[in-house]
Amino acid sequence: MWSCSPLNSTGRGEDQPLCPHFHLVLSIFSLLYLVVGVPVGLGYNALLVLVNLQDQSSMTMPDVYFVNMAVAGLVLSTLAPAHLLGPSSSGWALWGFSSEAHVTLLVLFNVCSLVTTYSTALLSLDYYIERALPRTYMSSVYNSRHVCGFVWGGALLTSFSSLLFYICAHVAARVVECAKMQHTEAADAIMVLIGYLVPGVAVLYALVLISRVHKEDTPLDQDSGRLDASVHRLLVATVCTQFGLWTPHYLTLLGHTSLALRGEPVDGQHLAILLFAKDVSRCLAFSSSSVTPLLYRYISGSFPSKLRRLVKKMPCGRQSCSEDQAGVQQVLA
């Protein structure tokens, strides 16, 4: 979480009377997410994965991408306490900016952000293919599973270049190989370009194509083999939520990179705004791991039936499973 210590170290803390108030608001918001958002994210993401993996034969193409996002959401929810209790927190920092743990957390955070944005973009493109070319199996579950595997591999490879910049920014300058890689702004620029601009353009392109297909509905839309009507609402809600919550994070990276390229010193008011915006945007990014499974839970038409099948398969011991039907109805409600 954010504190006013960076401003106090520059001697500009007395010029920022609102700094303590911002610190208090952000600390309350972070702790609220730590107490409520993290358990919700862990629980619903795990439930999303379980209800789909317990009956893989009933999975559709969108389910594969949502399981992929749920796995990334589980990792994000696990990382959230470490970030919230990490550097720049007031009095309870578990490590400093120069430690290996901080670099590792940043790389894992970047991997999850890449997986989330690219899964959303590929879901949009595959949904268009399914709408425009039904029953061609170009957007099948089998293909989507392999694509998701490539997404994780590509995210790891992309984060490797960022890892080099982060490591070289935290080691001694006497290392010859890192002499010209002492700036994390290069890593931020890579993440903005590959992690946001590319999938963002893909999503916009897919949404334009989907809108054209919806204007040209044909009798094929009544085919029983087509995707459920709730998938379109779920897709629009997911795209708006994911990019709405991740855009502030990438905008702060872009702003930091722009200031570094101009050669302007980041201190005083600019430093206060940048630190506050960075921490707020990161909290919003972490909250995406809790919001997406809730959207799937309430909009997906197949979730209730999958949850019932999961409960029926659970071992009940000597008691009858029929006694748990009231509990199932409570969860569904």
Side-chain angles (χ1 to χ4, degrees):
M1 294 188 298
W2 185 54
S3 67
C4 302
S5 56
L7 296 179
N8 295 334
S9 62
T10 59
R12 298 294 298 273
E14 62 276 3
D15 298 335
Q16 306 293 333
L18 296 180
C19 177
H21 301 287
F22 287 154
H23 178 214
L24 178 61
V25 171
L26 187 57
S27 298
I28 293 175
F29 180 77
S30 300
L31 291 176
L32 182 63
Y33 172 74
L34 187 64
V35 174
V36 179
V38 171
V40 169
L42 290 173
Y44 272 95
N45 280 306
L47 186 62
L48 193 158
V49 174
L50 287 176
V51 297
N52 283 285
L53 295 186
Q54 60 89 22
D55 189 8
Q56 299 187 27
S57 60
S58 65
M59 289 182 65
T60 60
M61 175 269 297
D63 294 332
V64 177
Y65 287 111
F66 276 98
V67 168
N68 206 43
M69 285 186 280
V71 174
L74 285 172
V75 179
L76 279 177
S77 298
T78 306
L79 296 176
H83 275 279
L84 295 179
L85 302 177
S88 69
S89 62
S90 56
W92 50 46
L94 302 180
W95 49 76
F97 280 103
S98 60
S99 68
E100 294 81 0
H102 178 66
V103 176
T104 303
L105 289 174
L106 282 177
V107 172
L108 291 176
F109 179 82
N110 289 338
V111 170
C112 293
S113 68
L114 290 169
V115 170
T116 301
T117 53
Y118 274 91
S119 294
T120 306
L122 292 170
L123 171 63
S124 306
L125 293 170
D126 275 359
Y127 178 77
Y128 163 72
I129 295 174
E130 183 67 21
R131 289 281 302 178
L133 303 172
R135 296 187 178 277
T136 58
Y137 301 103
M138 294 179 62
S139 57
S140 63
V141 174
Y142 177 81
N143 292 337
S144 300
R145 288 174 178 170
H146 287 277
V147 168
C148 289
F150 282 112
V151 168
W152 280 97
L156 291 172
L157 289 176
T158 303
S159 299
F160 181 75
S161 58
S162 301
L163 175 63
L164 293 178
F165 283 101
Y166 284 125
I167 291 177
C168 288
H170 290 84
V171 300
R174 63 176 179 271
V175 181
V176 179
E177 291 79 2
C178 291
K180 297 182 179 181
M181 299 177 64
Q182 291 288 327
H183 303 288
T184 59
E185 292 80 7
D188 294 340
I190 292 174
M191 289 301 301
V192 171
L193 175 62
I194 299 178
Y196 183 76
L197 293 180
V198 173
V201 171
V203 166
L204 290 177
Y205 179 66
L207 291 179
V208 171
L209 295 177
I210 291 171
S211 64
R212 292 180 179 179
V213 171
H214 273 283
K215 292 178 181 179
E216 302 171 359
D217 286 340
T218 65
L220 285 175
D221 294 327
Q222 308 300 324
D223 187 358
S224 59
R226 300 296 291 268
L227 292 173
D228 188 81
S230 63
V231 175
H232 178 70
R233 300 193 303 271
L234 183 59
L235 170 66
V236 174
T238 302
V239 169
C240 295
T241 300
Q242 291 290 1
F243 278 87
L245 293 175
W246 281 99
T247 294
H249 169 67
Y250 286 104
L251 288 179
T252 55
L253 295 182
L254 182 62
H256 184 209
T257 304
S258 301
L259 291 176
L261 290 177
R262 293 178 182 178
E264 298 179 1
V266 183
D267 56 1
Q269 185 177 4
H270 288 164
L271 179 61
I273 295 175
L274 182 61
L275 291 176
F276 183 74
K278 181 178 292 186
D279 282 343
V280 170
S281 63
R282 183 155 295 183
C283 287
L284 292 175
F286 276 120
S287 66
S288 68
S289 63
S290 303
V291 176
T292 302
L294 291 177
L295 292 176
Y296 183 87
R297 153 71 183 91
Y298 287 105
I299 300 179
S300 175
S302 61
F303 180 84
S305 59
K306 290 181 178 180
L307 181 58
R308 291 190 187 97
R309 288 196 294 269
L310 175 63
V311 174
K312 288 180 180 180
K313 289 184 177 181
M314 293 177 62
C316 301
R318 297 182 178 179
Q319 297 180 354
S320 174
C321 292
S322 61
E323 299 176 0
D324 296 334
Q325 294 303 317
V328 176
Q329 296 299 330
Q330 235 177 13
V331 173
L332 293 177

